[in-house]
Amino acid sequence: MFPSTVYSERRKKLRAELSTGIALFLGNTDVAFNYPANQYTFRQDSNFSYFFGLDHPDLAALLDLDEGKDIIFGNDVDISDIIWMGKQPSIAGQAEKAGVSVTFPLKDLDEYIGMAVAKGRKVHFVPAYRAETRVQLASLLNTEYLKVREQVSEELMKAIVKLRMVKDDIEVKEIEKMVDVAWLMHTTAMKMAKPGVIEQQIAGTIEGIALANAGPVSFPVILTVNGQTLHNHYHGNVLSEGRMMVIDAGCESELHYASDITRTVPVGGKFSQRQREIYEIVLKANTEAAKAVKPGVPFRDIHLLAATVIATGLTALGLMKGDPREAVAKGAHTLFFPHGLGHPLGLDVHDLEGLGENYVGYDDEIKRSKEFGLGFLRFGRKLQTGFVMTIEPGIYFIPELIEIWKNENRNAEFINYDKVLTYLGFGGIRIEDDVLVTADGVRVLGKPIPKTVKEIEDIMS
Ligand code: GLY
Ligand code: MN
């Protein structure tokens, strides 16, 4: 855990954002895998971690905004627990580490919330992403499971987004340590990417590196020669000469801060002419986008800048035609770059996404687009000092999408379909870094992971 003052300070700032009532935080419970006693690895809720730090199941906490009290609810272990788990620190002892001096057994939470509800006090809580949490909320609030969602507190969500989006130095350090572990994961994957190797062997190895050096992977490893499928978790292909391999993987620190890095490499270690040409365009989109990052700039504009670099490069190669800016304005580039440039990163890989992307990534000034492509951009609003974002442009040749667009002759004034068809089977290329918005611009986090054609060919040779 961080020092207790970190958590007290965070709660103090949260109080300053909220009016009256109770801000309720339910920690996560254990979840059964295939029978009750065999459980998924425990992962604490990120908001609970952020404000209270304690990292085990069956805890709840609240800020009583009117009485100025912070309370942690949890049960001390008994002898039957100790036999299986060993001796555990008391709840009061743990709470002290979070700067909280008031604790109650978990069963008292029912009464506390029940009384608050009976008195008509506002109970603030955020959307539940687990059924277990929603069931608990329904019981606490004496409402129906399906009605819980209607009662979430926009005030609390907005306050949490405001606080968690801005990372301080200790948080950036945690993320950066995880990028350094990702360096080892990615360089190992690069060295292993030889013809005849099965994707699973590499995916398993790098997941093991995460576990051996940090926490678990921060999301299921994406490692595939079929990188045209953006989130491809199938790891059964045998690598062969001529394919590109996408590796999108990161890990979590003990305190649950994440890294999220993507590299794409040619199987066997040498780029073909065609691979290099597409790769250089994505690389330029990545580096130009990162350079454009600074406080006050809407991330949507940086996304569109990356899109323009991609359209310009593809036009030079003859895959697109016409004016690249006009092509981007019409969305023609989304045939090749259908997703958003990136997302916030922190305690969650898609940081805070559980609260709803639009609360996190959009505001009154910048609203989410409804267009194909731009509509997938998870974050469009202006950047601020302390935001940590991913920058992850890509170019993909998605056969099914190409077929639909070609049949409709969509954006035919900007796309050379005959040439595009010769790239079927190419796969996809994505290059992703994690960056910190600084007062005067940007810092790419962590030990640099091979990224240029030369760096990649060197490490793979
Ligand atoms: N790394 C997976 C994602 O950003 O969605
Ligand atoms: Mn990402």
Side-chain angles (χ1 to χ4, degrees):
M1 279 175 71
F2 294 128
S4 63
T5 47
V6 169
Y7 302 101
S8 314
E9 269 305 304
R10 287 172 174 178
R11 294 193 301 270
K12 194 169 143 199
K13 286 189 185 153
L14 183 61
R15 278 175 186 285
E17 296 291 328
L18 299 173
S19 51
T20 61
I22 288 171
L24 174 65
F25 294 90
L26 297 180
N28 277 338
T29 57
D30 271 324
V31 178
F33 182 46
N34 55 337
Y35 58 92
N38 200 30
Q39 293 149 348
Y40 288 100
T41 304
F42 175 72
R43 170 56 154 86
Q44 186 55 288
D45 172 71
S46 296
N47 289 317
F48 195 92
S49 280
Y50 186 80
F51 292 108
F52 297 92
L54 303 185
D55 202 16
H56 67 82
D58 303 323
L59 295 168
L62 58 81
L63 275 62
D64 192 316
L65 303 167
D66 309 313
E67 295 196 11
K69 273 192 293 196
D70 297 349
I71 307 174
I72 289 180
F73 296 82
N75 296 336
D76 285 326
V77 292
D78 60 20
I79 186 63
S80 60
D81 296 320
I82 292 172
I83 291 168
W84 293 99
M85 303 155 61
K87 209 160 171 281
Q88 304 292 321
S90 68
I91 294 294
Q94 294 182 54
E96 207 181 308
K97 292 194 176 145
V100 173
S101 56
V102 185
T103 62
F104 289 127
L106 194 55
K107 67 173 175 39
D108 290 3
L109 182 65
D110 264 339
E111 197 183 323
Y112 203 104
I113 299 297
M115 275 174 44
V117 171
K119 284 187 194 157
R121 297 180 69 197
K122 171 82 185 161
V123 179
H124 301 268
F125 62 91
V126 298
Y129 51 88
R130 288 190 182 184
E132 288 78 1
T133 316
R134 205 183 292 182
V135 167
Q136 196 184 358
L137 283 167
S139 158
L140 285 169
L141 300 165
N142 196 20
T143 191
E144 286 171 37
Y145 179 84
L146 292 174
K147 296 219 164 119
V148 170
R149 186 71 181 79
E150 294 166 14
Q151 295 181 35
V152 299
S153 163
E154 195 167 300
E155 188 182 332
L156 179 59
M157 289 196 281
K158 286 187 169 165
I160 292 175
V161 169
K162 186 169 169 189
L163 297 185
R164 277 183 54 192
M165 271 306 293
V166 177
K167 273 71 179 178
D168 58 21
D169 290 350
I170 53 174
E171 295 182 282
V172 172
K173 262 197 200 112
E174 283 289 303
I175 296 171
E176 202 151 29
K177 277 193 298 189
M178 292 307 100
V179 179
D180 289 348
V181 177
W183 178 93
L184 188 58
M185 294 164 72
H186 281 266
T187 53
T188 303
M190 289 173 186
K191 289 176 192 166
M192 287 181 75
K194 303 215 182 306
V197 174
I198 305 168
E199 292 162 342
Q200 179 181 6
Q201 294 172 295
I202 310 178
T205 302
I206 67 172
E207 184 151 354
I209 291 173
L211 286 167
N213 293 276
V217 287
S218 46
F219 57 94
V221 169
I222 296 164
L223 186 143
T224 182
V225 291
N226 286 318
Q228 75 280 7
T229 302
L230 304 183
H231 281 179
N232 198 332
H233 297 295
Y234 175 73
H235 298 147
N237 297 301
V238 179
L239 304 194
S240 58
E241 200 83 48
R243 307 297 304 271
M244 299 292 293
M245 183 179 85
V246 172
I247 316 140
D248 183 350
C251 54
E252 265 197 15
S253 75
E254 198 187 337
L255 301 182
H256 301 307
Y257 287 86
S259 57
D260 181 11
I261 300 285
T262 308
R263 290 293 183 265
T264 307
V265 301
V267 172
K270 282 270 170 245
F271 285 83
S272 69
Q273 168 83 7
R274 202 171 238 216
Q275 289 170 338
R276 179 195 297 253
E277 285 167 353
I278 300 293
Y279 189 88
E280 293 287 9
I281 299 170
V282 181
L283 181 62
K284 188 164 182 204
N286 169 290
T287 52
E288 294 289 312
K291 268 194 254 166
V293 166
K294 65 170 181 231
V297 178
F299 197 64
R300 186 192 54 195
D301 293 359
I302 305 178
H303 168 88
L304 291 171
L305 169 81
T308 307
V309 171
I310 285 171
T312 305
L314 291 176
T315 303
L317 281 185
L319 283 152
M320 292 183 73
K321 56 189 173 181
D323 174 23
R325 280 177 192 283
E326 217 179 296
V328 168
K330 298 259 167 67
H333 65 287
T334 62
L335 177 62
F336 308 98
F337 175 34
H339 61 75
L341 179 65
H343 51 84
L345 177 77
L347 283 167
D348 308 307
V349 175
H350 293 177
D351 207 23
L352 292 146
E353 199 167 286
L355 301 184
E357 277 182 27
N358 289 349
Y359 284 105
V360 183
Y362 292 89
D363 55 17
D364 293 340
E365 194 185 344
I366 301 189
K367 300 263 176 246
R368 195 183 193 115
S369 161
K370 291 190 167 62
E371 303 283 311
F372 177 78
L374 194 52
F376 295 142
L377 181 63
R378 300 179 194 280
F379 192 100
R381 67 185 167 99
K382 283 181 180 162
L383 296 171
Q384 291 172 27
T385 305
F387 283 10
V388 173
M389 304 292 299
T390 68
I391 300 285
E392 48 179 311
I395 294 179
Y396 313 87
F397 295 89
I398 305 169
E400 297 78 3
L401 189 63
I402 292 168
E403 191 186 337
I404 292 171
W405 279 43
K406 185 180 181 304
N407 288 343
E408 290 176 4
N409 233 3
R410 201 182 296 185
N411 281 310
E413 69 272 40
F414 299 111
I415 295 167
N416 278 322
Y417 281 107
D418 288 347
K419 180 136 189 186
V420 172
L421 290 179
T422 69
Y423 280 69
L424 292 179
F426 181 98
I429 293 176
R430 178 166 64 250
I431 308 174
E432 175 178 28
D433 290 314
D434 303 337
V435 307
L436 169 70
V437 185
T438 62
D440 54 0
V442 66
R443 185 160 71 79
V444 179
L445 295 177
K447 179 167 160 180
I449 300 172
K451 194 159 82 162
T452 64
V453 165
K454 179 165 184 337
E455 285 163 357
I456 286 172
E457 290 191 342
D458 282 352
I459 197 157
M460 292 180 79
S461 71

